[in-house]
Amino acid sequence: MQRIGRRIHRWIPGPGPPSRAARQVSGACRPAFQALTAETVDADRRQQANAAMTLAVRTSTLAGPALTALLAAFVDVGTLLLGIGLLWLVAAFTPGRGAVPDPDAEPTEPTEPTAPAPRASLRAEFIDGIREARRHPWFVAGLGALTAVIALGYSATSVALPLISRDRYGTEWVPAAAMTAYTVGALGGALVTARRRPRSPGWAAFAGLAAYGFAPLSLMLPVHPAVVIAAYVVAGIGIELFNVPWFTATQREVAPDKLARVSSLDFLVSYGLAPIGLALIAPAIDTFGVTPVLAACAASCFLVPAAAALVPTARHFGSGLHRSTDTPAARRTR
C-alpha cells in the first residue's frame, strides 16, 4: 500500500484533492440515486432496495482497496486510474430497465406531450428544499442528530484513533482493523434492515445512530484492541440501522418532486459541516486532552439522537401510515 501511495503522489500532486473529489462525487450521486429509487421501486420494496444499495457501497469499500493493492503488483498506477475511469463510464452509460409496469394498474390513455416547465434557479430550488424539509419535524430532528454524530463522533475518532493506536498500543494496525470492522458491521446492519421492519422504525433508527457513541467510548478506556474493534463493529451495524430506514422514510414522506432537493440538503448539512468538526477536534484535544474530548463526543452521540427521538412523528419517521398505493405505475396514473 505504501508503494501505491508513493506512485499515486507522482500522478496527483498533494494529499487532499483525490479524497475531496471522491466525497464530492458521493454527495452528488447519492441524492440522485435516492430520487431514482423512489421513481422506479414500489413503496413496499424500497427498504430492500436501499439496503441493496448500501450493500453495494460497503462491499466496494471493503473489496476495492484489497483488489487495488493486488492489481498494483502487476500493473502501474496509470493503468489502474484509467481502468477506474472506464468503469465509471460503463456505469454511467449502461441503460437501465426503467420502472417495471404494474400488472394491476389500470391502463391510461396516451396524452399529448407538453413543453417542459422553465427550470427554477438554484437558489429557489434550495429554498424550496428547506421549506419542504421543515414540513417534517422528524426529518429536521434526524438531520440534527446525524450532523452531531458526524461532526463530533466521526471527527473525534478520525483524529484520536491513530494517536491512541500509536501511543497506547504501540502499533499502526488498529486504525485499519477498526475501519474494516466498521465496514463489516455496516454490511451486517444492511442485511438486518433488508429483512427486519420494527414497529417503531424511527426509534430503532435513532438507537442505531446513537450506537456510534461506543466508538469514542472505547477509545477513552484502557482496553484491549479487540474491544475497540468490537465497538467499531457495533457502530457500523448501528449506522446502517439508521441509514436505510432514514432513506426509505424520506422517499415515502417527502413530495416526489422535491425529494432530490431534500436529499441534497441532507448530505449538504450532515457531511458539509463535518470539516468544521474535524478542524475543531485537534485544537480541542491539544487544549483539554484526548479523554475529555472523547467523553464529550461520546455523550453527544448518545444524547442528541435520544433527544431527536422525542420529537413528534420521530417514532415512525412520519405519520406511520405506509402508502401501499404509492407505486411507479400508480404515480403515472395520477
Side-chain angles (χ1 to χ4, degrees):
M1 293 301 292
Q2 293 176 349
R3 173 168 159 258
I4 298 174
R6 289 194 299 269
R7 293 165 68 183
I8 287 179
H9 276 297
R10 292 201 297 267
W11 273 77
I12 304 177
S19 60
R20 287 198 298 267
R23 294 190 187 99
Q24 290 166 0
V25 170
S26 176
C29 291
R30 293 298 289 272
F33 272 117
Q34 286 188 46
L36 287 172
T37 301
E39 284 294 323
T40 58
V41 180
D42 291 346
D44 292 339
R45 298 181 178 179
R46 285 178 196 158
Q47 183 152 323
Q48 287 90 337
N50 289 318
M53 287 179 56
T54 292
L55 285 170
V57 171
R58 299 298 185 180
T59 301
S60 300
T61 303
L62 190 63
L67 181 60
T68 301
L70 179 63
L71 292 175
F74 303 98
V75 298
D76 60 89
V77 172
T79 304
L80 285 175
L81 295 176
L82 180 61
I84 293 172
L86 290 175
L87 287 176
W88 274 92
L89 290 175
V90 169
F93 290 103
T94 298
R97 294 187 304 171
V100 178
D102 188 351
D104 298 329
E106 297 180 0
T108 57
E109 297 180 359
T111 58
E112 296 182 0
T114 58
R119 180 72 180 268
S121 65
L122 180 62
R123 178 177 177 274
E125 290 186 349
F126 181 71
I127 294 175
D128 197 26
I130 295 176
R131 189 180 298 114
E132 174 65 19
R134 292 177 61 184
R135 290 182 55 246
H136 307 280
W138 63 269
F139 182 87
V140 177
L143 184 57
L146 180 61
T147 302
V149 170
I150 292 177
L152 297 177
Y154 282 26
S155 299
T157 54
S158 297
V159 174
L161 179 58
L163 299 177
I164 291 174
S165 176
R166 180 196 63 195
D167 299 339
R168 181 187 300 168
Y169 302 116
T171 181
E172 303 294 336
W173 63 266
V174 176
M179 291 297 100
T180 302
Y182 179 80
T183 303
V184 171
L187 286 170
L191 289 172
V192 170
T193 55
R195 303 180 62 87
R196 176 177 173 270
R197 296 193 179 188
R199 293 183 178 181
S200 301
W203 285 359
F206 282 125
L209 182 62
Y212 193 87
F214 289 108
L217 184 64
S218 69
L219 298 177
M220 289 174 49
L221 307 173
V223 296
H224 191 275
V227 177
V228 176
I229 294 171
Y232 272 83
V233 172
V234 173
I237 294 173
I239 199 64
E240 293 307 335
L241 293 181
F242 174 83
N243 276 342
V244 175
W246 171 259
F247 293 152
T248 306
T250 304
Q251 294 160 350
R252 183 185 68 243
E253 299 291 332
V254 173
D257 59 329
K258 298 179 176 62
L259 177 58
R261 302 170 193 177
V262 174
S263 298
S264 298
L265 179 67
D266 175 6
F267 280 86
L268 177 65
V269 174
S270 58
Y271 286 94
L273 296 180
I276 298 176
L278 194 61
L280 296 176
I281 289 297
I285 289 177
D286 289 338
T287 303
F288 303 104
V290 175
T291 300
V293 171
L294 288 174
C297 292
S300 298
C301 291
F302 289 129
L303 296 178
V304 177
L310 301 178
V311 172
T313 71
R315 179 175 180 175
H316 297 287
F317 274 167
S319 63
L321 300 176
H322 296 280
R323 304 172 195 168
S324 58
T325 59
D326 186 21
T327 64
R331 283 194 299 271
R332 290 194 294 271
T333 63
R334 292 172 188 167

